[in-house]
Amino acid sequence: MDIFLPLIIAYLLGSIPSALWIGKLFYNTDVRTKGSGNLGATNTFRVLGPKAGLIVTVLDILKGTAATLLPLIITTDVHPLILGVVAVIGHMFPVFARFKGGKAVATSGGILLGYQWPLFLLAVAVLLIALKITKMVSLSSIILAVVSVIYTIIYTFYTEDYLFLAVILTLATFIIYRHRANIARIRAGTEPKIKW
């Protein structure tokens, strides 16, 4: 029970479909039927506006953070990073939304906030700078994933925190894979751009 209960809780936390619930409760809108149809912060920004998008972003981040910090509440031998990854899996494949969720970026960031906050701050800065330059959320997310891997390789050289490196590599793989359709549109020059 010390192993399975925290894993179940972490998955359920990740499965909370923030975009879906915020859209239905406060905007009478199912974001899955508009925009890209994705249950993530980016589509929420596009469909419901900046206020809803920001709220969903924060909630999705906190899902990863809450899962990572579970060992502070529940006695368990499961490593915080593993719980965070399980939450990300829940976010991508949420039981509360027919297993069709978001693209893992914000919830992955929540793991960083709970485990390695300097990388979280770097990630936010990289994302904002990349967004300013490219005006593409998808490309900025991929750049963020690559920069996070580079940072963690250097970090691991000094700390020997190999599990953290493995988790970051896993999360980066999730993010890039979940953006494969966006990558095709970027290559074709048809990827939507944001307006500042």
Side-chain angles (χ1 to χ4, degrees):
M1 187 62 71
D2 286 349
I3 295 176
F4 292 108
L5 181 59
L7 290 173
I8 292 171
I9 293 173
Y11 173 76
L12 292 176
L13 282 170
S15 286
I16 297 172
S18 307
L20 178 62
W21 290 356
I22 292 294
K24 284 192 171 184
L25 286 172
F26 299 103
Y27 295 86
N28 195 32
T29 300
D30 186 339
V31 295
R32 295 174 298 183
T33 65
K34 298 182 182 296
S36 67
N38 185 258
L39 275 184
T42 301
N43 197 42
T44 305
F45 270 102
R46 289 184 182 135
V47 174
L48 303 179
K51 183 179 178 180
L54 182 60
I55 291 171
V56 168
T57 299
V58 171
L59 290 175
D60 283 352
I61 289 172
L62 291 178
K63 293 191 301 188
T65 304
T68 304
L69 296 179
L70 268 179
L72 297 179
I73 304 171
I74 299 174
T75 301
T76 178
D77 293 328
V78 182
H79 196 282
L81 288 172
I82 301 302
L83 294 172
V85 171
V86 171
V88 170
I89 292 172
H91 176 72
M92 294 188 297
F93 307 103
V95 67
F96 302 124
R98 300 180 182 178
F99 302 101
K100 294 181 180 179
K103 295 186 177 179
V105 179
T107 307
S108 295
I111 298 175
L112 303 183
L113 179 59
Y115 187 80
Q116 175 58 231
W117 63 265
L119 178 52
F120 174 79
L121 295 180
L122 174 64
V124 171
V126 168
L127 184 65
L128 292 176
I129 292 170
L131 272 175
K132 185 68 175 178
I133 295 172
T134 70
K135 296 181 175 59
M136 288 183 280
V137 177
S138 55
L139 181 56
S140 299
S141 298
I142 293 168
I143 292 171
L144 167 61
V146 172
V147 170
S148 296
V149 168
I150 294 171
Y151 171 96
T152 308
I153 290 172
I154 298 171
Y155 174 82
T156 304
F157 179 79
Y158 292 100
T159 64
E160 299 185 356
D161 191 348
Y162 296 109
L163 178 60
F164 185 50
L165 176 60
V167 165
I168 293 299
L169 288 170
T170 300
L171 296 175
T173 301
F174 285 165
I175 291 170
I176 293 171
Y177 179 76
R178 298 285 286 184
H179 283 88
R180 59 195 185 282
N182 303 87
I183 293 172
R185 288 195 294 270
I186 291 170
R187 289 175 174 172
T190 58
E191 180 70 354
K193 295 185 178 183
I194 64 170
K195 296 179 180 178
W196 289 89

